[in-house]
Amino acid sequence: MKQIGKEIIENETTLYYEDINKTKIRKLNAIKDTVKLGGGEKAIAKQHEKGKLTARERINKLIDPDTKFYELNTLAAYDMYKEYGGAPSSGTIYGIGRIHKRDCVIVANDATVKAGAWFPITGKKNLRAQEIAMENNLPIIYLVDSAGVFLPMQDEIFPDKEHFGRIFRNNARMSSMGIPQIAAIMGPCVAGGAYLPIMSDEALIVEGEGSVFLAGSHLVKAAIGEEIDNESLGGARVQSNISGVTDYVMKNDDEAIEMIRNLISKFGARQKAGFDRIESSLPKFKSEDINFILPDDTLKQYDTYELLARIVDNSEIDEYKSGYGKTIITAYARIDGWSVGIIANQRAVVKSEKGEMQIGGVIYSDSADKATRFIMNCNQKKIPLVFLQDVTGFMVGSKAEHGGIIKDGAKMVNAVANSVVPKITIITGNSYGAGNYAMCGKAYDPRFIYAFPNSKIAVMGGAQASSVLLDIKVKQLQKEGKEFSEEDKKKLLDEIKNSYDSKSSPYYAAARLWIDEIIDPTKAREYISKSIEWADNNPDIPKFNVGVIQT
């Protein structure tokens, strides 16, 4: 085992980094606190006046006492849909919590946000929740309280493959996979949305508040002229005792939650994947030290070994090919007792085996070759992979091209794409271009993908992109015969850079579900451990085959 890490020396630079990083965490927590109010305190008060709990209150009562609910995609739709007043958390909350010591995916409509209506991102978020349940073989609980599709945007959520109807397709697929699904109808459940709870294994409905029908009373009157109220049309007693659509009638939210817990308590034991875990050992260095390590600017260098020393057990690694391809660190280690294979971009400037200086955060041919071999090794040994992304892309230029950088990069991408063990990705800094793909970005099916508050996700860095876009704009204006002063250029460059940087932000990525959650860097170890624990619930690991790799 190789001991890594050293004590942090507090000086002007490291203390400045700490202040910057803690400020980013305070901002993140403040934004999350606001988002968690949903439609606001007045809307919450109205929910309580009806005798109903809010979505997060329901979840807190559902999970085991003194356990943590790991909410995911908290910032879905952040700063989006402004023309409609916004949609905090996209009007739906989901995450993973423990119910009678069983990990479960829990999905709850937030009726304080547009009566729980579904925006386009809401559909995408619900699909991600189901994907996590399917990939990790986790039971899924739906707490339904929704007015249905947000009609002004129905064309963006209704007909396509990744739209609303895919939810019900997934209900059917999960049923065939033997993944338990329980739904509690705690409010309205209308039209196509009625299929979600009824395609679950068991459906509960709360008397007086829950209702389920394909068309409400107003639409029924318009369509066939029948006059009837919603309770008589599809209320709890009607759908349980007359139609037999629902299975249990509950008096209120509390009784429904207790019934769900009772049902889950009787689930049988399930086989695990069997990823190796021993007794956990803390790192030799405090996780809080990460705040001293991450620089204020993602283009600045730092030693990734120091970051790893605050995450892995005993601050020890078994490094694979330590002297080769140094801009990527590949190592076996343990995180909270779990055996893992780590692939991390080295952000420090290093020397290659030929003595040449290599830029930190850039993937060279030798680094890609090493990472490819290591990924295959971990698949051979059934070891989960942890990717720590801080990458500005693959090396460019004539030397790199002549050396076959495209071929070597393609080999790495191939190995990542075909990997069958769970992949956990954390974006710790930059995530640019094809580097995002090779280091297991969202398109490459990581079981879970997180990002630090300082991270950036884009095709290229803001400075480079702004320069390219400015050059294109200037040439276009010159063709039109327009004059363009240096002052005009600077103003336009600033506008382009500000716009580009805002779209590279982790908040922009989180809003669009490119990442599962923005996390506090000091909790990286906790999130990696929990992610592997959740992944361990699925014993079905296919045979590993990379297909054709060019030599």
Side-chain angles (χ1 to χ4, degrees):
M1 298 292 282
K2 175 182 177 180
Q3 188 75 50
I4 56 173
K6 57 189 176 186
E7 293 291 344
I8 295 294
I9 299 172
E10 293 189 10
N11 54 38
E12 188 175 339
T13 300
T14 57
L15 289 172
Y16 176 64
Y17 288 174
E18 181 193 33
D19 183 56
I20 289 289
N21 286 311
K22 285 187 173 180
T23 298
K24 287 177 179 177
I25 292 301
R26 284 193 291 269
K27 175 188 173 183
L28 173 65
N29 290 336
I31 290 172
K32 285 187 176 182
D33 287 344
T34 301
V35 164
K36 287 177 181 180
L37 289 173
E41 292 179 355
K42 287 184 179 179
I44 291 171
K46 285 183 180 179
Q47 188 96 335
H48 289 161
E49 285 169 12
K50 294 177 183 178
K52 297 170 66 175
L53 299 170
T54 65
R56 285 189 171 83
E57 288 169 343
R58 289 167 176 166
I59 291 169
N60 288 337
K61 287 199 170 192
L62 181 60
I63 63 175
D64 292 343
D66 301 320
T67 62
K68 180 176 177 178
F69 177 65
Y70 286 85
E71 186 171 347
L72 300 172
N73 292 137
T74 310
L75 299 178
Y78 177 71
D79 213 25
M80 293 173 65
Y81 308 126
K82 292 179 182 178
E83 64 273 36
Y84 301 112
S89 268
S90 77
T92 292
I93 297 150
Y94 90 91
I96 300 173
R98 305 212 94 188
I99 305 173
H100 283 289
K101 298 182 180 180
R102 292 170 172 83
D103 290 320
C104 299
V105 175
I106 304 169
V107 185
N109 301 121
D110 186 352
T112 70
V113 179
K114 301 289 190 296
W118 288 51
F119 288 78
I121 287 292
T122 316
K124 187 176 181 181
K125 183 171 179 176
N126 276 266
L127 287 170
R128 177 60 178 148
Q130 290 183 319
E131 182 179 53
I132 286 173
M134 288 189 283
E135 286 183 338
N136 301 288
N137 196 32
L138 297 174
I140 186 165
I141 316 302
Y142 306 101
L143 306 179
V144 184
D145 192 349
S146 171
V149 168
F150 187 64
L151 290 178
M153 303 187 76
Q154 63 84 25
D155 60 314
E156 296 183 44
I157 189 173
F158 167 63
D160 209 345
K161 181 178 178 180
E162 301 302 328
H163 284 178
F164 195 82
R166 188 79 170 181
I167 303 287
F168 318 135
R169 176 266 188 192
N170 286 350
N171 286 138
R173 292 288 302 128
M174 280 189 280
S175 182
S176 71
M177 294 166 68
I179 295 173
Q181 300 174 82
I182 297 174
I185 302 167
M186 303 169 122
C189 186
V190 188
Y195 287 104
L196 185 147
I198 309 311
M199 291 187 73
S200 299
D201 302 327
E202 294 179 279
L204 301 75
I205 186 166
V206 176
E207 193 170 15
E209 289 297 336
S211 58
V212 55
F213 32 64
L214 292 182
S217 56
H218 293 295
L219 184 54
V220 166
K221 184 177 180 181
I224 63 173
E226 180 183 0
E227 293 196 17
I228 188 171
D229 62 81
N230 283 338
E231 187 65 25
S232 302
L233 179 66
R237 294 288 168 185
V238 170
Q239 295 291 28
S240 293
N241 300 343
I242 298 175
S243 70
V245 166
T246 52
D247 305 308
Y248 308 92
V249 179
M250 302 287 108
K251 293 178 182 176
N252 52 40
D253 283 3
D254 285 321
E255 188 175 84
I257 288 166
E258 187 58 33
M259 186 62 175
I260 294 170
R261 288 185 55 80
N262 288 343
L263 293 171
I264 292 172
S265 72
K266 297 171 179 65
F267 285 2
R270 297 206 166 207
Q271 187 181 350
K272 299 282 188 178
F275 302 123
D276 187 66
R277 191 181 197 184
I278 62 173
E279 187 177 346
S280 174
S281 299
L282 290 173
K284 299 289 185 187
F285 307 96
K286 296 180 295 184
S287 61
E288 289 76 13
D289 287 352
I290 294 174
N291 289 321
F292 293 100
I293 296 167
L294 298 175
D296 59 323
D297 185 338
T298 56
L299 293 180
K300 290 184 178 178
Q301 306 293 321
Y302 64 91
D303 190 350
T304 303
Y305 288 104
E306 295 302 324
L307 177 62
L308 291 174
R310 274 82 188 166
I311 295 175
V312 303
D313 289 12
N314 292 319
S315 302
E316 292 177 336
I317 60 174
D318 287 316
E319 189 168 6
Y320 176 77
K321 290 185 181 289
S322 61
Y324 180 70
K326 291 185 177 182
T327 63
I328 287 182
I329 299 168
T330 51
Y332 301 105
R334 290 194 181 271
I335 296 178
D336 196 22
W338 292 106
S339 169
V340 297
I342 295 171
I343 300 171
N345 299 111
Q346 170 59 296
R347 286 294 296 153
V349 174
V350 297
K351 281 186 178 181
S352 74
E353 64 279 5
K354 296 176 182 178
E356 300 165 337
M357 298 305 294
Q358 293 185 337
I359 303 166
V362 177
I363 302 176
Y364 291 77
S365 283
D366 53 0
S367 304
D369 176 65
K370 176 173 80 169
T372 301
R373 288 285 305 275
F374 185 71
I375 290 166
M376 292 192 286
N377 284 348
C378 288
N379 276 273
Q380 187 86 343
K381 300 170 185 176
K382 205 168 83 169
I383 299 175
L385 289 164
V386 175
F387 290 83
L388 299 181
Q389 271 198 29
D390 194 346
V391 57
T392 52
F394 285 88
M395 190 58 190
V396 296
S398 60
K399 189 173 182 179
E401 296 293 357
H402 298 170
I405 186 66
I406 295 175
K407 179 181 66 178
D408 292 320
K411 285 193 275 188
M412 184 175 174
V413 168
N414 189 318
V416 172
N418 285 299
S419 180
V420 295
V421 295
K423 297 170 289 193
I424 317 300
T425 300
I426 300 182
I427 302 171
T428 63
N430 301 306
S431 180
Y432 292 155
N436 171 282
Y437 305 154
M439 291 296 294
C440 197
K442 185 67 182 290
Y444 286 78
D445 298 322
R447 291 288 182 96
F448 299 92
I449 179 168
Y450 309 106
F452 288 173
N454 63 310
S455 61
K456 294 179 183 294
I457 305 169
V459 170
M460 63 180 76
Q464 299 94 321
S466 302
S467 177
V468 172
L469 292 168
L470 177 66
D471 188 48
I472 292 169
K473 185 69 175 176
V474 169
K475 286 179 179 177
Q476 181 184 349
L477 291 170
Q478 286 173 344
K479 283 182 180 179
E480 296 171 3
K482 295 179 181 178
E483 294 292 329
F484 211 66
S485 68
E486 289 302 318
E487 186 178 341
D488 291 334
K489 283 184 182 180
K490 186 180 183 307
K491 184 180 177 182
L492 182 57
L493 182 64
D494 289 341
E495 287 176 2
I496 293 170
K497 189 175 185 305
N498 289 337
S499 173
Y500 195 90
D501 285 345
S502 69
K503 292 178 181 179
S504 307
S505 156
Y507 292 95
Y508 191 89
R512 289 153 183 81
L513 275 62
W514 301 347
I515 55 176
D516 290 321
E517 193 75 358
I518 304 174
I519 64 170
D520 181 340
T522 65
K523 295 181 180 177
R525 174 180 163 87
E526 175 187 348
Y527 272 86
I528 292 168
S529 174
K530 293 303 294 185
S531 296
I532 298 172
E533 185 178 316
W534 299 327
D536 195 43
N537 284 285
N538 189 355
D540 185 18
I541 299 176
K543 184 179 178 181
F544 178 60
N545 187 342
V546 294
V548 177
I549 290 186
Q550 287 187 332
T551 57

